[in-house]
Amino acid sequence: MLPSIGNEVLKSIVAQFDAAELITQREAVSQRIRTDLLRRAQEFNIALEDVSITHMTFGREFTRAVEQKQIAQQDAERARFIVEKAEQERQANVIRAEGEAESADIISKAVAKNGDGLIQIRRIEASKDIAQTLAGNPNVTYLPSGGDGEGKGKSTGLLLGLRA
């Protein structure tokens, strides 16, 4: 009698869950089976002290299908992450381009209003950065021209790249 009650209760409870829920909600399933088994056994004056699910197995094909579903879900999550990352990068590029366009517009208006002083300052700053970079490189040597020393005209000095 007890095996038939056990099978009846087990089948009725297990049928209410899908496979993933049986695995992820194992404790809840076990509790429902325990409650129903205790109730059904009392109807036949059988006292149960403890009920536990100790081993739950599925067919090989079913297990493979569950694994494939989990792999597919992980792949979908990975693809969704890649798409979201690409969208964020696209938005960052748009914002950056808008900022650069606005900056160029502001500089253009400033140059039109106040002359090219800002451009000259930027040119001097860039030249200074280049000079500092070259000065720190042991493979570059500057050879000044032998000009007249009065500072008139353009310098014709040479930059030599020396390699060991």
Side-chain angles (χ1 to χ4, degrees):
M1 175 87 86
L2 192 57
S4 64
I5 294 173
N7 285 335
E8 172 191 328
V9 169
L10 190 60
K11 287 178 182 179
S12 70
I13 299 297
V14 169
Q16 296 173 19
F17 296 90
D18 65 26
E21 290 173 332
L22 287 174
I23 295 169
T24 60
Q25 299 177 17
R26 185 175 178 162
E27 188 60 38
V29 173
S30 180
Q31 184 61 35
R32 287 195 53 193
I33 290 171
R34 182 180 193 280
T35 303
D36 283 11
L37 262 178
L38 288 172
R39 185 178 46 78
R40 289 288 287 147
Q42 271 184 338
E43 292 174 8
F44 295 98
N45 294 323
I46 299 173
L48 295 176
E49 289 184 16
D50 189 28
V51 176
S52 63
I53 298 175
T54 58
H55 188 69
M56 186 170 20
T57 61
F58 298 100
R60 199 175 300 151
E61 292 176 8
F62 181 78
T63 302
R64 192 176 313 121
V66 170
E67 289 172 355
Q68 291 299 323
K69 180 181 177 185
Q70 289 174 340
I71 290 170
Q73 287 173 334
Q74 290 171 351
D75 289 344
E77 282 295 318
R78 192 175 302 117
R80 189 175 306 118
F81 172 77
I82 290 169
V83 168
E84 288 175 5
K85 182 179 175 185
E87 178 62 21
Q88 289 173 351
E89 288 175 0
R90 184 195 67 78
Q91 288 176 345
N93 288 336
V94 167
I95 291 169
R96 191 176 303 112
E98 289 172 349
E100 289 174 2
E102 187 176 334
S103 173
D105 185 46
I106 291 170
I107 290 171
S108 174
K109 287 178 183 176
V111 167
K113 183 178 178 184
N114 301 315
D116 68 347
L118 178 63
I119 294 173
Q120 295 299 327
I121 290 172
R122 294 279 169 92
R123 186 175 290 146
I124 291 168
E125 289 172 349
S127 296
K128 180 181 171 187
D129 290 343
I130 292 169
Q132 286 176 341
T133 301
L134 291 175
N137 188 338
N139 295 328
V140 174
T141 301
Y142 175 70
L143 298 176
S145 67
D148 58 5
E150 296 180 19
K152 297 179 184 175
K154 294 189 177 183
S155 174
T156 57
L158 299 173
L159 282 178
L160 299 177
L162 306 174
R163 295 202 172 110

